[in-house]
Amino acid sequence: MMIADPHDLDDFPDAAAARPLWLITLADLALLLVGFFVLMQAHQSTDRHAIADALRVTFGGKPPSQAPAPLPLAAAMVTGFAPGSSSLPAAAPQILPWVNDVSRDPRVMLTITGGVDGGTDDVDAETGSSTLLAADRARAVAAMIARERPGVRIAIAASETDGQHRRAVLVSLGFAGDRQPIAGRQSPAAAPQP
């Protein structure tokens, strides 16, 4: 007497024709590629800095508003502004050799802070605002520095009074904390912009 094998191959139905595995992989890849290009097109008109800030926060970084200020290392001052004026004094270009010397390292940042003397005549003529006049003075010095040294990182600030009650602009050099470049490679700050 013969006992039938419970797993006889003749008992199983024929398998339906399947698609080759490489075709499914290719379809998945094509779908991902289309999705990527749709995402790029959708974000073409958005603010790139906002996207970078959102990604930084998503991966545990701090937004730029909470990022630590550059560590101050040195400072220079432009003095001699006329009351109520943001026109550069004649001696202002004397700061440029110092700026050229200290801003060679792409890891540094210049913070330019305008100030007023706190008097009633040292205000913006049109608005009567001392803060606006301080910002205009800082902007004038920043424009002079940017013409002389394009590419230097600059932050502009305004102070109604600098504690000393001077009609002046303080230019401070700070270490911004970027990584040092690897030998043979440019740092991101020194890389040419498209």
Side-chain angles (χ1 to χ4, degrees):
M1 173 171 185
M2 225 159 107
I3 300 176
D5 185 10
H7 301 292
D8 191 6
L9 294 178
D10 294 334
D11 293 340
F12 292 105
D14 290 335
R19 292 185 178 94
L21 188 57
W22 65 267
L23 185 61
I24 296 171
T25 305
L26 180 65
D28 288 343
L29 179 65
L31 191 60
L32 285 173
L33 193 59
V34 167
F36 173 72
F37 284 120
V38 167
L39 183 68
M40 282 182 50
Q41 187 66 27
H43 285 66
Q44 190 174 18
S45 63
T46 58
D47 183 16
R48 293 181 183 185
H49 294 291
I51 293 171
D53 294 343
L55 287 173
R56 184 177 297 117
V57 170
T58 301
F59 290 107
K62 292 183 179 179
S65 61
Q66 295 178 358
L71 178 67
L73 300 174
M77 190 171 285
V78 176
T79 59
F81 286 92
S85 173
S86 62
S87 299
L88 289 173
Q94 293 177 356
I95 198 172
L96 293 176
W98 177 80
V99 168
N100 283 328
D101 184 45
V102 300
S103 64
R104 284 189 220 146
D105 189 341
R107 297 174 294 161
V108 300
M109 178 177 213
L110 297 177
T111 302
I112 303 173
T113 308
V116 294
D117 66 8
T120 57
D121 60 339
D122 199 25
V123 294
D124 181 58
E126 291 184 30
T127 62
S129 170
S130 58
T131 305
L132 185 59
L133 178 61
D136 283 344
R137 287 176 176 164
R139 183 190 50 78
V141 172
M144 177 186 68
I145 290 172
R147 280 191 298 273
E148 175 72 21
R149 188 91 173 145
V152 68
R153 298 189 317 178
I154 295 175
I156 297 176
S159 172
E160 288 189 28
T161 61
D162 63 358
Q164 304 292 324
H165 300 290
R166 292 183 284 217
R167 295 186 306 268
V169 173
L170 177 68
V171 180
S172 59
L173 169 78
F175 178 71
D178 289 347
R179 294 185 324 186
Q180 293 185 8
I182 299 171
R185 295 170 79 190
Q186 282 185 327
S187 71
Q193 300 295 322

